[in-house]
Amino acid sequence: MSILHRKLRRDLRQRRSQFAAVIITIVLGIALFGATYDAYQNLTDSYHQLFVTLNTADMTIAGGQTDAIVQAAKGVSGVADVTTRTVADVPVQVNGDHKMLGRLVGIPSGSQPSIDKVDILSGVYPDASAPVLIEQHMAKHFDLKAGDTIQILGPSGWVTEKIAGVAASAEYLWPAQSRQQIIPSFDDFGIVFADESLLATIPSSAAHQEVLIAYKSDVGTAGLDRLLEDFATNNGASDATPLADLPSNAALSEDLSGFQEMSLMFPLLFLAAAGMATYVLLTRLVLSQRGQIGLLMASGFRKRTIFGHYLEFGLLAAIVGAVFGAPLGGLLGSVISKMYTGALSIPATVTTARLSTALIGVTFALVAGALSALAPAMRATRLIPAQAMRGLIPAGKGGATWIERFVPPLRRLPARWKAVLRGVGRNRNRTISTVVGVVLAVTLILTFWGMIDSIQVLLSRQFDLVNSQNAQVYLTGQATPEVVAQIAAESGVAHAEAVADLPASIQSATSQYHTELLGFQPDTKLHSFIVKGHDVPLPSSGVYLGTSLEKDLGVKVGDTVTIDVPDANIHTTQTVAGFVNEPLGTYAYISLPELTTLAGGTNVANTVYLTYAPGAQPETMRNELSALPVVGAFIDSNALQSMAEQFMGLFYAFVGVMLALGGLMAFALIYNTISANVAERASEVAMMRAGGISRHTISRLLTSENVLLTLIGVVPGLLFGYVFAYYGLSVYSSDLFKWDLYIRPTTYVFTVIAIVVAALLSQRPVLRAVQRLDVATVVRERSL
Amino acid sequence: MIDLTGVTRTYGDGPTAVHALKGVDLSVERGEFVVVLGPSGSGKTTMLNVIGGIEEVTSGRLVVDGVDITTMNEDERTEFRRSHVGFVFQFFNLIPTLTALENVQLMAELVGRNHDDSLTALDAVGLADRADHFPGMLSGGEQQRVAIARALVKQPPILLVDEPTGSLDLDTGRQVLTQLRAVSDRDDRTVLLVTHNAAIGGMGDRVIRLHSGEIASIEPNTRALRAEEVEW
């Protein structure tokens, strides 16, 4: 081992806590990259494997002239297979009296469908004696298994059917009811795969035909998607959904894109922080070793050797960080993949730890290590030996700070406090690196905290402000005034309203969007319409649209859109009266009287929204209302909210871990910059101590300077944190979820407090070193 | 003024222990200008540090300006340094963000001296016209003179000076030595100056030679040289 390597080893040992902080940051960065990138790859592979195995439809077309669409699709080059099936949303009863909405999805008698097969997890394929399979989420929620029974509401009342088994489906990996209701309550909605012969008994008003189309594996989907969507529109279909837009797939894709974005964002943030810490540390090291460097150069060491020596510090930290971070990332990637697929009951799980990911991570670390050490190493080679070995203060202008010029009374501060004030601008590089460190730390904390805040606030807005109903009941018939009155008269019901909830397609000049058209009473008490931040009533004419449609349909207020509602035989052109800001889903709203008029006077209200009287127990209300013969299915809004919060649980956990890691990194980063700041002052501190200034006073001065630097970094940090949080949420925003950034004022306050506390805590070891400073040693030997 | 009786200072213990001072007995009077000479490792800086209360003695008794500092703890020694001694080191350790005057004020405020006292101290070392200059704008000799003013502004009865010319050329070194001699002659302060530069010994009222932690000789100078007469 060369002497320089021995020096390297001992320098590292001497500054072990600071290098440990750098290495931990690198380990975190690489591990998080590996974990999120591998998780992204694993989940993508898991989904793909399932889609291939179960031959999931590349295009699903609902309604319209089914035969014509089938014929047209079969004639398209690139289409491998075309089949049809029946789908119906009908009330079902499970476990005796639990009424809910069931989606019956038709499957052929006796054999698997050629497209959208089901994976039978237990039991057998349905036959005439046991004609239904229960989707795994529903089966798990209600503890249903082969041999049990459910009841389905048919034209002549409830019919009991035997369960053949439990199945998973690629189409319903996540059992979302629609793109608008991406978060189902398992209490209220479930998927049932039923023999087509059973679906034949369902009234045509409740059922619709779907055409399933599978593409050949070697064709591009975009062109086919457009062509088939045109066929669908031309043949009166109510919806044409490519695989990517399937509600379940879209919801999971949101998570995937989140993983993908985070796999880039996290290593960038953490490695930038590690790079900054390394840069600060090495810059201080070079400064404190000026004399040694001068001596080495004067003794004949080549600049290249000196450069390599200091570059090695960065590379070594990167290598050690990568050695621990890369395997940890692979391990975490597998764990996250398993946890995620386990939490969502996704049957196929790929949990490979990829060598390529590890190699990318190692490369990231090495590049970050080399880049951060580059400037200090070059600085070392630029030292002039004779100057470096002398103890003079380098020539410079010096000067008062700008704040002293603008605030003249500051010029009368005692010299020690002037030293604090000017210490901030004393060394531009040090100030910038400390401030950048604080900015990064604040950014990390505010980004993640802001995301949590936003989601909590927006869920509260959705369930407490936008939707005011406690429950929604689907009826066995229409929501006539008599039925509404009957429900309103039930004990515990405070208010009930008839609402129309109808599938609809909305067409602008350029695009089409499939959603639900909701018809409310003009003076509804159960839904708030938030337009440009104000709660406004429904318009007497025209429609409100969800905000994302402004962009997706390319329309603005005052434009017209064409609305088709097949179930009510409505084809109408309506003016866009406003865009409603709602976190979950993208709906269209119209006043119920207007909708009734459009339907030719027919009552189209098919559901009743209601609120409970104070003290009413949700479970009792469910039981009592479900027992009414007019009630086909019951949806508990509280359960839906709980489900939404549970759905966000994974996200909270993920962001919470990131928040903790961000805090840890903030501590490491601030510790490094502050300790480097203080180490650089050793000789001044020793001089002050020798002059009789107490340790307490010196600690107070150093603390003031560090807090001042921290506070300077806080302001841009809050700004960057806001921008990053905005970006982070926008990754998850679509027509399914609209996560507007909302950060509580207290979050800003707590973030600042957290950072200042981190700064104060992280300087404690440094201040302890100041307390223990051996004045005699320092005044003898300047190079600490 | 300064009385050392059997003072020892030992670093470490066991076989690797270093005995920097071995039972030193010394007495220095008020207003004396004493030069301590010795090669590296002879214990001269250690002696300066124990007299100034920067380091503790291992054994013996040490009375400075009538105060027995042998038994003081760290906080008491800090108080002692504040009011009884001023230090000047080879490396000036000025705070680069403070002007020459402010560097002096830093210490002046410590003992309740005012702005005029700081200016007077700078004037005493011939730098009144450089009061608003920052250290980076001063030469090495000027920086060392600011350091002397900084030590003097507290008006300590004792000035402890460690290799004051070690970083300076001959001319600036002479300027600094002139100031130090003036401090002793004009203000009747005790100056204890340690150096390895034997030529400076000629400036002292007495020259103490240290060798391996022990006083090898104490010689009075019949005629102390003026700084400009010193050659090295």
Side-chain angles (χ1 to χ4, degrees), chain A residues 56 66 103 116 505 545 551 590 647 698:
Chain A
T56 311
T66 309
R103 173 160 301 166
D116 279 346
S505 68
L545 302 177
K551 186 178 163 201
I590 191 167
F647 184 68
I698 291 172

Side-chain angles (χ1 to χ4, degrees), chain B residues 69-84:
Chain B
I69 64 169
T70 319
T71 54
M72 285 181 174
N73 63 25
E74 175 58 33
D75 288 342
E76 288 167 338
R77 281 188 278 120
T78 300
E79 280 293 323
F80 162 78
R81 288 198 297 272
R82 188 178 294 182
S83 51
H84 292 82

